[in-house]
Amino acid sequence: MKFGRFLIPPALLSLYAWKKYGCRISPRSEIEWSSKLTIGRGVNIASFCKLKSSAGPLSIGAGTQIAPFCFITSHAGGLEIGKDCMIGPSATIAANGYRYDDLDVPIRLQEQTSAGIRIGDNVWIASGCVVLDGAEIGSGTIVTPNTVVSGRVPENSVVQGNPAKVIFTRR
Amino acid sequence: MASETAVQDISSAVIEIAASVFEVAVNELCMEASPETLDTWDSLNHLRLITAIETSFDVRLPMKTVLAIDTIEALVEAVENCRGK
């Protein structure tokens, strides 16, 4: 399902997404319906989530569930979330950063960077996690609460901490 | 006699590793220690313990066994069975 920018009330978009694609998107979530946003069938986005997709491609695979208060933002490097993922409450997934190599210029005015984020299928990102730009999370992985992921996580891992470390491998 | 000594070695090694993972003194742990008796034996430390045991004994426990382990004794048994195979 791809969207263009519409000046349509969120409730109508939610109804349309539900009727046509089986997506349950709360009208109380805040989603940038840009042409760079792709949402699969049966995606569930709860209330008070904020999704930004105007600066880069953002795709969410079929069956993925996003709990309340999540903040998800894509940038030039793109942000891919696979199928059947679960993203717990208050998780942050931000696919951009800032250069900070010029001491004379405020960081906010320096160039933005974006390597992109790739999240595989069937990944469970628990509540309060932060996934930073450049992260790659393999399919079947469990990211335990409040973990910060900035690098590569192998498939079927259970990771914890800041920075995320593999504490177990599912089998 | 030799196998009894081997079992004791495994038990004491498992207890040492568990004490390190759960951040308790070795003498606070017994074979009956379980998540019910040990505050720091939570779901994440359980996985950490299994990974530490697997690394230390160079074994790989099946997922069903991992989830069924509920005491130090059960863990020692699982390691013995795995090593016996």
Side-chain angles (χ1 to χ4, degrees):
Chain A
M1 168 167 81
K2 266 182 121 41
F3 289 95
R5 274 184 178 276
F6 300 112
L7 290 172
I8 299 175
L12 278 182
L13 274 171
S14 296
L15 190 63
Y16 173 76
W18 176 58
K19 288 290 274 181
K20 184 140 192 184
Y21 301 101
C23 297
R24 290 176 178 271
I25 297 173
S26 170
R28 286 182 289 180
S29 58
E30 194 180 330
I31 296 172
E32 281 183 356
W33 297 104
S34 79
S35 58
K36 292 171 183 158
L37 176 66
T38 310
I39 296 180
R41 285 191 171 274
V43 166
N44 189 335
I45 300 174
S47 306
F48 312 115
C49 288
K50 167 85 177 174
L51 269 68
K52 292 179 74 178
S53 62
S54 57
L58 168 57
S59 70
I60 302 171
T64 287
Q65 301 186 3
I66 302 175
F69 300 104
C70 288
F71 176 66
I72 297 173
T73 177
S74 62
H75 212 267
L79 199 171
E80 287 173 23
I81 300 172
K83 292 183 289 183
D84 298 315
C85 292
M86 291 192 296
I87 300 175
S90 303
T92 298
I93 304 174
N96 68 310
Y98 286 87
R99 292 181 68 108
Y100 50 86
D101 47 354
D102 192 340
L103 283 174
D104 300 324
V105 178
I107 294 169
R108 70 179 182 85
L109 298 179
Q110 296 192 40
E111 189 187 340
Q112 285 202 52
T113 58
S114 176
I117 293 175
R118 310 278 174 268
I119 298 172
D121 299 333
N122 186 30
V123 171
W124 175 14
I125 296 175
S127 60
C129 288
V130 178
V131 181
L132 297 172
D133 188 34
E136 280 184 40
I137 302 177
S139 295
T141 288
I142 299 172
V143 185
T144 61
N146 297 322
T147 290
V148 179
V149 182
S150 56
R152 193 179 165 278
V153 175
E155 286 188 355
N156 297 323
S157 304
V158 179
V159 293
Q160 186 193 29
N162 178 9
K165 284 188 181 153
V166 176
I167 61 165
F168 186 71
T169 303
R170 295 174 66 212
R171 56 210 64 177
Chain B
M1 186 69 183
S3 71
E4 264 180 39
T5 316
V7 170
Q8 276 180 353
D9 286 348
I10 293 174
S11 304
S12 54
V14 166
I15 285 179
E16 252 178 55
I17 293 166
S20 154
V21 169
F22 298 142
E23 295 178 341
V24 294
V26 171
N27 58 14
E28 284 181 49
L29 283 179
C30 59
M31 294 300 276
E32 291 74 35
S34 70
E36 280 73 39
T37 63
L38 207 59
D39 290 342
T40 50
W41 191 335
D42 58 23
S43 59
L44 295 180
N45 275 341
H46 182 82
L47 297 180
R48 274 212 202 93
L49 173 64
I50 299 296
T51 302
I53 292 289
E54 286 182 338
T55 308
S56 176
F57 289 96
D58 195 22
V59 292
R60 195 167 168 86
L61 303 175
M63 196 66 205
K64 276 189 181 170
T65 309
V66 168
L67 296 178
I69 288 166
D70 55 356
T71 58
I72 295 288
E73 193 173 16
L75 180 55
V76 171
E77 268 179 36
V79 172
E80 280 168 22
N81 292 339
C82 218
R83 277 161 67 99
K85 280 179 185 172

